[in-house]
Amino acid sequence: MKAVRFHEYGAPDVLRYEDVEQPLPGAGEVRIRVAATSFNPVDGNIRGGFMRGPIPVELPHTPGIDVAGTIDALGEGVDGIAVGDDVVGFLPMDGTGAAAEYVLAPTAVLASAPKSVPLADAAALPLVGLTAYQALFDHGKLTAGQRVLINGAGGAVGGYAVQLAKHAGAHVIATAGPRSSEAVKSAGADEVIDHTTTSMTAAVTEPVDVVLNLAPVDPAELAALVTLVRPGGVLVNTTVWMPAPSDEERGVRGIDLFVRSDADQLAKLVASIDRGELRVDVAERVPLAELPALHARAAEGAVHGKVIVVPPAA
């Protein structure tokens, strides 16, 4: 089968499109014929060797944490899932990824794929959808009637976060640049602040219950976000290289989010898609052979929105 792998850490040119042996599923695993994987910024950090501590991968390594595809073979002891089933999943981050024609997956990370979007497009959901869900509900404890500020709402996680928060009955304030402000409005934001022209601390005049920071802001900007949170509220931060600040005097907690695979939560997101409550946005569809070029564009900051990566048709 075809796969993209890197044999040593480094720049995007270490990625090679090559022939590798088709894997065989072990106990508790299935083999998936990949409809698509997606590009996530963490893929570039793993390839560059910057995540060796938290995400130790074995070389050569195939990237691609998200998968959407069709079950092709079952390992020993697998039940409740059948050959021919369409699935989505967030694969173990330190394991072999889905930038290939086939990938193995533990059944515990998989959910049935949404039926209302093309199977390949469902690869745009798992990591970013789960990040948004866990930030808002596991950590932010967001409930109806609360106010939430989503900083960096124009990205892939932000798009899901705005939709989920709005559907939960929250008042959603979002920051976005001119390029993404319309998309953020159409996702359901009640207020959109143009962070390129307006200070958030000036624009947010009433305290919020939850701040979700998705943007690589400087530490002073991140600290300023805490001042917008009401006493007893929470700031959830996804930029893990910069710890979330808190304000103990006012009981404002700062939480750093490390997303985890959760098939039950993924199934909830899929159900929301099929009910028409959650939109899947795909900015680009890139052939698997062009993944090295996609990594290079991402390194230059030239990738916007969610990109799925599609292997050659069978």
Side-chain angles (χ1 to χ4, degrees), residues 18-35:
E18 58 193 14
D19 291 304
V20 302
E21 205 168 313
Q22 199 177 95
L24 294 171
E29 290 183 326
V30 295
R31 185 172 66 203
I32 299 169
R33 164 77 200 183
V34 178

Side-chain angles (χ1 to χ4, degrees), residues 1-7 12 14-23 32-34 37 60-64 95-104 287-292 295 309-312:
M1 69 172 187
K2 290 293 186 185
V4 171
R5 303 195 296 179
F6 57 89
H7 295 250
V14 299
L15 291 165
R16 299 182 200 167
Y17 182 60
E18 58 193 14
D19 291 304
V20 302
E21 205 168 313
Q22 199 177 95
I32 299 169
R33 164 77 200 183
V34 178
T37 184
H61 177 69
T62 304
T96 302
E101 291 183 282
Y102 294 86
V103 68
L104 301 181
L288 178 62
E290 293 175 23
L291 184 59
H295 271 242
V309 179
V310 183

Side-chain angles (χ1 to χ4, degrees), residues 173-266:
I173 307 164
T175 73
R179 187 180 57 238
S180 52
S181 63
E182 281 307 314
V184 170
K185 278 180 200 161
S186 73
D190 296 288
E191 302 175 45
V192 180
I193 300 167
D194 182 350
H195 64 81
T196 64
T197 60
T198 311
S199 149
M200 268 176 293
T201 47
V204 180
T205 52
E206 283 179 58
V208 297
D209 300 278
V210 179
V211 167
L212 172 52
N213 180 59
L214 306 170
V217 296
D218 66 46
E221 280 183 88
L222 191 57
L225 292 177
V226 176
T227 67
L228 304 175
V229 183
R230 65 159 178 81
V234 61
L235 182 149
V236 184
N237 178 47
T238 64
T239 53
V240 294
W241 60 88
M242 188 166 49
S246 56
D247 183 344
E248 289 178 18
E249 277 185 27
R250 299 191 306 117
V252 176
R253 293 173 302 129
I255 295 172
D256 292 304
L257 171 69
F258 296 88
V259 65
R260 59 186 172 80
S261 187
D262 188 310
D264 290 338
Q265 290 180 350
L266 190 53

Side-chain angles (χ1 to χ4, degrees), residues 65-153:
I65 296 159
D66 292 317
V67 66
T70 304
I71 302 295
D72 161 81
L74 308 178
E76 190 184 334
V78 170
D79 54 19
I81 199 167
V83 169
D85 286 354
D86 290 340
V87 293
V88 288
F90 172 13
L91 299 173
M93 295 179 86
D94 58 354
T96 302
E101 291 183 282
Y102 294 86
V103 68
L104 301 181
T107 56
V109 306
L110 300 175
S112 294
K115 294 178 168 49
S116 55
V117 298
L119 180 57
D121 289 8
L125 173 69
L127 186 142
V128 289
L130 287 170
T131 299
Y133 187 94
Q134 291 168 18
L136 292 171
F137 304 117
D138 288 359
H139 300 294
K141 310 294 184 192
L142 186 70
T143 57
Q146 290 190 320
R147 291 165 55 81
V148 58
L149 170 62
I150 300 170
N151 187 39

